[in-house]
Structure formats: C-alpha cells, structure tokens
Amino acid sequence: MLDLFPIVVLLPLLGFLHNGLLKDRIPHRFAGAIGTLAVFIPFLITLGAFNEFNPMERTAPHLVPVFDWIVIGDFKTSFGYQIDQLSLYMTLIITGIGSLIHLYSMGYMKGNKGYNRFFAYLNLFIFCMLNLVLSDNLVLTFLGWEGVGLASYLLIGFDYDKSSAAEAGMKAFILNRIGDVGFILGTGFLFWLGGSLQYLTLQTNLSELSGFANYANLIALFFFIAAMGKSAQIPLYVWLPDAMAGPTPVSALIHAATMVTAGVFLIVRLNFVFFLAPDTSFFIACIGALTALFAATIGLLQNDIKKILAYSTVSQLGFMFLAMGSMSYVAGLFHLMTHAFFKALLFLGAGSVIHALHHEQNIKHMGKLFGKIKITSLTFLLGTFAIAGFFPFSGFFSKDLILEKTYTYGAFGSILWTVGVVAAFFTSFYMFRLVFVVFFGKDNTDSHHKVHESPWTMTLPLVVLAVGAVLSGFFLTPHFFLHIDTLERYFAPVLERGTVLANQMGTFTKHTELTHQVEISLAVFSVAIASIGLLFAYLIYQRKQSPILEEHTGFRKILFHKYYIDELYDVLIVKPYVFLSKGIAFTFDVKILDRFFLGIGGSFGLIANGLRRLQSGFIGDYALYVVLGTFCILVYLLTRGV
C-alpha cells in the first residue's frame, strides 16, 4: 500500500484536470462522481496503509521518491513523499472528511451553472493539501502551502460576479501571503544551518549542530508567523470569517479538514525545532489562548449562521495552538481530528438549513426547524454537544486533554488554563444560542417558502460525520478513563527525535503529574462550565426569549462589530497603502518618472531631427559641407601654428 501513495496524490490531480478541461462537455452528475471518487479512492488506499503502522511498534518513515525536481550544484530537492504516522493521520482526515464534503456538494450545488468548475477546484484543493502533508522536504511542502492558498482564492471567490466573494478571496490570498514570508525566512535559516531541506536529513544534521539551540527560537517564530496566516491566529485571522462568501461546502472543507489545519501540521512536522524553542512555544500558547477567547466573544452576537461557525473555528484553532505552545502535540493533533468531524458536521448542517430556507443565512429569520428537517436538526445538535465539550462526545476528550496539559505546563499554565476555560464557556453559550434560535425558537421563517429536508447526498454525510463527532473521542481518552494511550504510542516515532534533542539541550519542559482525583476534578469542572453555558443560552433564548442581549448598545455593539478590527485594519493599513500606491502611480510615476524619461526621449528626438537635416540628398548641400569642413580644418591647423 505504501508504494501506491503517488496514486493518492495523482487521483485528485486527474480529477481536477478532467473536470476543469472538460467542464463544458460532461454532465454534472458525471463530474460530481469523478470528483468524489478522486478523493474517496485515496481514502481507501490510505486506510490500508494506516493499518501497516501498528501503534505498538515504532514503524520507521517510508520514503517514496518520485523524481528529482530542483538540482543546482550541491543543492538537490526531490519530488518525493514521506509516509509516516503524521502524514498518514493527516491524509486520512483530508481524504475521509473531504470525500464526504464532495458527496454533499453533489446535492448542494445541483443546478449551479459552475458545478463542474466547482468540483475541479475542490479536487485541486485536495491535491495541494496532500502535497503539503505528504512531502518529504520543505520545498514541496511550500508548493502545497501556496497551492492551498490559490485553491482557497478560487473557491472563496467562486461566485466571482459578486463583489463580496471576489474581495473575500483576495483578502484571504493577501493575508496568507503576509504569513508566508515567515515560511520563506524559516526555510532559508534551516537550509543555512542544516544544509538540507529534507526533513529526515535536517533532523540528523541539526542534532549534530551544537549551536542550533541559539537559533531555534527565531526559526520557530518565523514558521509560527506562517502558521498564523494559514490557521487564522491573531492578528492574521480576519480572512477566515470573510471566507464564508464561498459556497457552504467550501467553508466546511477549509475550516474542518484542510487549509486551517496546515499551521498545526507544520509545527508538529518541525517539532525538532519547536522542542528547542521554549520562548517561542510560550508565545504560541499565549496567542492560542488569546485567539480562543477573543474569537469566542465575537461569536456571541453574530447573526449569520456561517459567521458564527467561522468564529468558532478561529476559537477552536486557538485551542490547538494552545496545545502546540504547551508542547502537547498529541493533544493538539487529537483536537484537530475531533474538530474535523464536528466542524464539518456543523458547517454542512448549516448548509442544509440554508438549503431548506432557500439561501437564508440570518438566524433571526429562522426558528422551529427541529420538527421540519429532523435529520439536519438532530445531527447539528450532536455536533453542538461535541464542540461544547459535553461527555461523552468527542470534543470533551480532546478539549479536556488540551486544558489538562495546559494546566500542568510551566509557571503560567494555570493562567492559560483559565483563559481556555472561559473561552469554552463562551463556546457553549453561543453555540446553544444558535441551536435554540434556529431549531427551537420562535418561527420567523418566510411563510412563502416551504421548508424541506435535504436530499440523501447531503444527509448521508451528516449522519456519518455525526457518528464521528460522537465516537471519535474514544481514539484517545484521558488516562483516568480507559487507561489507554493509543495515539501517544502512535505518534511517538514522529516526536521522539525532537524530545531527545530537547532533553540534550535542556529545553524540554515537563508537564506536572496530576493525580487521578485532580484529573477527574478538571474534567468535571470543564463539563460544568459547558453546562452553565447551555443553561444561560436556554434561559435567555428559549425560556424567556429575551431580546436584551440582542440590543447592540455599549460593549454589545463592539462585540457585534467584531471589535472594529476590520475597520481598524482599513484605517491603519489598507487606506494608507492605497493612498501611497495611488501617490506613486499617479504622482511620482506619471509626473516625475514619466516626465523624466519622456524628456530624455524627447531630447534624443530633437537631436535626431537636427541631424536628419544633414542627410538632405542634394549634391550641392554635400559640396557645401565639404567646403565648410575643409575651411574648419584649415582654421584649426593655422591656429595650431602648423
């Protein structure tokens, strides 16, 4: 199975080329089936390969070279793949969740004139993301990194005739380019120090470099800046809510299984750098905690159903980076997986609601949908319990593990834990606000439109994802529950070299050991916080249906307008940049540079016009020039005394 991995990457590429080149010649159903199979077949191959990596054995990475890509002197970069526990784990998530989203799209996009083009873009997205997570070197990773940026631009701006969609796609593209500067700088430093960009070679070379620890914090910071862009952390998070301009399956794909997880993956892949960078890791933990809380507060008063889920994604990514910063990489990867299930479920459920209400997205124009679209309502409710962290749903296990590891991390662990708990409370509150308003609250739907359940191509993925949202937490449970650590063992070969290096350099931070009683207390407290959020949402939006919190005055107005961050960026960055660009283009360029160079050209024109008159073609003129020339020569010779 492992040697078949080039096919895993090749099939989405073929799907993209097929649907893209033949988009005007093939029927929609055929294009949708091709696009879905191009992702589902790689999922089956990956599943077979996954079984070869026994968690009880330390299976070594398997390299699959395809061809030499860039060869310049001693520098050589291949187009090759590294199959190990991390890349398989990510590939399973990408192809598994991705194939469900493709199937869902077959029903959601039915009748759309850009149907075939949409599936071509989806396959391109999967192809680029697979290159990102499977590559064996940083150059190919960067190719995939930029590729998902391109694909996200195409998908977010899919309805390019709408200015909002086109602007949102451009916003995502530009903000990610800002973060990508960090990737380039970090890559340059690693090549300078390690002499290679191949991951396994880098690990070996850097482990033999005694002074590497002196550069680790700086290099880790560069790569975290790149992760800030892709994974929407403060201050580069503002593109992700605007990405809702794309069709709902795009939101599910970007938010759940692909692009936003790239930053988390990058940190784990480069764990041998981040283990040696405790200062940068602490900074990552602080940014993650702040992002989790900040985005959760914004989600409290949003009315667009997709925007609420978008800010919940930013917040949940904050939890993942809280885990990355506290060097709890397995906990972060675990939450990445459970989040992929329940966030894909929630976005696709929101799409089903939008589909049922004829593209209505404002939750104030919804209500009493639970009895009308039962499959959508029930699966959405299960996803809400998962993201809120209720036992025994998946979000409880992964979020609780992150909070536990944060609590035991360093001197400031308890402070970061407190921030995370408060963010978890707000998450429960705004998610159940959404549930009570949309599915149980007063019916504010348009009476002219008949509410209907979605077709099976949309409801089947919801059911499968709901099962994952409920059960995936049991892949790794807190030790006090089932006393198993399957994922810990599974990822040990990936993290082993970084752990050994950190111990050698003295930068490894151990987590404080907790008794089972303390672990249970933290878990119970976490569930209690989620329950309080549910209770508050019930009392305000279901029992009393109080409009008090919906009045946008005072601080609530600030929350509703998302702290005016977009407006602040517009005033401080966008408008000055546009003003400077216009000044350069229409003042400096036109009035100074253009006039200068046009003046030089005009001068040569005048000289040429004068010299051109000497070439009149008349013999008499040429005879006169000979006489004048002779006269000038005689005068020169006489004045020199010859």
Side-chain angles (χ1 to χ4, degrees), residues 300 384-385 388-390 399 421-436 525-542 549:
L300 293 173
T384 302
F385 276 109
F390 279 90
K399 185 196 66 177
V421 167
V422 175
F425 164 77
F426 285 134
T427 299
S428 179
F429 179 81
Y430 68 68
M431 284 305 303
F432 280 103
R433 167 186 178 254
L434 188 154
V435 166
F436 289 131
F525 184 77
S526 178
V527 174
I529 286 294
S531 301
I532 294 172
L534 186 158
L535 180 61
F536 274 31
Y538 171 77
L539 292 175
I540 295 171
Y541 295 103
Q542 180 63 28
L549 288 181

Side-chain angles (χ1 to χ4, degrees), residues 266-544:
L266 183 66
I267 291 177
V268 181
R269 176 57 80 200
L270 296 175
N271 68 84
F272 55 90
V273 175
F274 285 86
F275 267 124
L276 302 181
D279 295 335
T280 298
S281 294
F282 177 70
F283 176 68
I284 293 172
C286 293
I287 291 293
L290 183 61
T291 302
L293 179 60
F294 183 79
T297 59
I298 295 177
L300 293 173
L301 293 177
Q302 300 304 305
N303 293 323
D304 186 312
I305 188 172
K306 290 173 65 176
K307 285 285 182 73
I308 296 171
L309 296 178
Y311 281 106
S312 78
T313 298
V314 177
S315 182
Q316 295 303 307
L317 287 167
F319 277 101
M320 294 180 208
F321 279 94
L322 180 57
M324 295 295 109
S326 59
M327 296 185 181
S328 307
Y329 299 124
V330 175
L333 288 171
F334 184 35
H335 195 59
L336 184 152
M337 183 261 291
T338 61
H339 177 264
F341 277 110
F342 61 69
K343 185 49 61 68
L345 170 60
L346 290 170
F347 264 113
L348 296 186
S352 186
V353 170
I354 295 168
H355 181 268
L357 297 178
H358 305 274
H359 302 288
E360 178 59 64
Q361 294 186 202
N362 191 330
I363 63 173
K364 288 190 172 183
H365 299 157
M366 303 177 186
K368 273 203 178 344
L369 294 179
F370 192 83
K372 301 176 182 178
I373 45 175
K374 292 184 178 180
I375 297 177
T376 298
S377 303
L378 182 58
T379 53
F380 195 96
L381 184 60
L382 293 174
T384 302
F385 276 109
I387 192 174
F390 279 90
F391 179 85
F393 298 90
S394 60
F396 162 78
F397 296 107
S398 57
K399 185 196 66 177
D400 184 69
L401 185 60
I402 291 175
L403 292 176
E404 177 193 317
K405 293 294 185 181
T406 302
Y407 186 80
T408 60
Y409 174 70
F412 296 95
S414 58
I415 298 175
L416 294 173
W417 174 84
T418 303
V419 175
V421 167
V422 175
F425 164 77
F426 285 134
T427 299
S428 179
F429 179 81
Y430 68 68
M431 284 305 303
F432 280 103
R433 167 186 178 254
L434 188 154
V435 166
F436 289 131
V437 171
V438 173
F439 297 104
F440 300 100
K442 182 181 177 182
D443 189 354
N444 293 315
T445 59
D446 189 339
S447 59
H448 297 291
H449 293 147
K450 183 180 179 181
V451 178
H452 56 88
E453 184 61 275
S454 301
W456 72 269
T457 53
M458 296 173 65
T459 55
L460 178 59
L462 294 180
V463 173
V464 175
L465 289 169
V467 173
V470 174
L471 299 179
S472 61
F474 291 98
F475 283 108
L476 177 67
T477 60
H479 298 304
F480 70 82
F481 186 66
L482 291 180
H483 298 281
I484 61 173
D485 53 356
T486 307
L487 281 183
E488 293 279 358
R489 288 178 180 271
Y490 182 77
F491 286 117
V494 177
L495 302 174
E496 185 176 31
R497 182 64 65 89
T499 305
V500 171
L501 278 173
N503 281 321
Q504 290 175 351
M505 302 292 181
T507 59
F508 186 74
T509 303
K510 286 188 175 182
H511 293 83
T512 307
E513 292 291 333
L514 296 178
T515 64
H516 291 329
Q517 289 78 10
V518 175
E519 289 183 2
I520 293 173
S521 299
L522 291 175
V524 170
F525 184 77
S526 178
V527 174
I529 286 294
S531 301
I532 294 172
L534 186 158
L535 180 61
F536 274 31
Y538 171 77
L539 292 175
I540 295 171
Y541 295 103
Q542 180 63 28
R543 186 172 180 180
K544 295 183 178 180

Side-chain angles (χ1 to χ4, degrees), residues 611-630:
L611 294 175
R612 185 173 58 190
R613 294 178 181 178
L614 298 177
Q615 302 292 329
S616 64
F618 293 106
I619 296 177
D621 291 342
Y622 296 149
L624 177 62
Y625 299 154
V626 170
V627 172
L628 290 175
T630 304

